[in-house]
Amino acid sequence: MSPQLNWQKSTFSGEDADCVEIAADSDLIHIRESDDPSAVITITKAKLAAWLQGAKAGEFDRLVL
């Protein structure tokens, strides 16, 4: 993994809040928890796009409601 990743968090997260951060590197997406930045999940952009489509359609609402 590249040490030059530009990590971003949601603007809905507070200034001091722990949150999920995301970074892109060519065709890969890296996702980490801000309070444990050494734990990183890496997936392709296509797989993330499919997951986001499902999330927008409400497929995962039962997990957080």
Side-chain angles (χ1 to χ4, degrees):
M1 181 172 37
S2 170
Q4 304 292 333
L5 294 174
N6 182 24
W7 292 98
Q8 295 179 279
K9 68 178 186 174
S10 170
T11 57
F12 291 94
S13 297
E15 188 78 24
D16 298 323
D18 291 332
C19 63
V20 173
E21 298 175 317
I22 191 166
D25 181 15
S26 76
D27 191 44
L28 297 176
I29 299 294
H30 308 279
I31 302 170
R32 71 181 184 183
E33 189 73 45
S34 64
D35 62 337
D36 185 9
S38 65
V40 178
I41 297 170
T42 301
I43 60 174
T44 64
K45 289 180 180 181
K47 288 180 181 178
L48 179 60
W51 188 89
L52 288 172
Q53 186 176 10
K56 289 177 182 179
E59 291 180 17
F60 309 108
D61 287 356
R62 64 180 165 66
L63 300 173
V64 295
L65 297 177

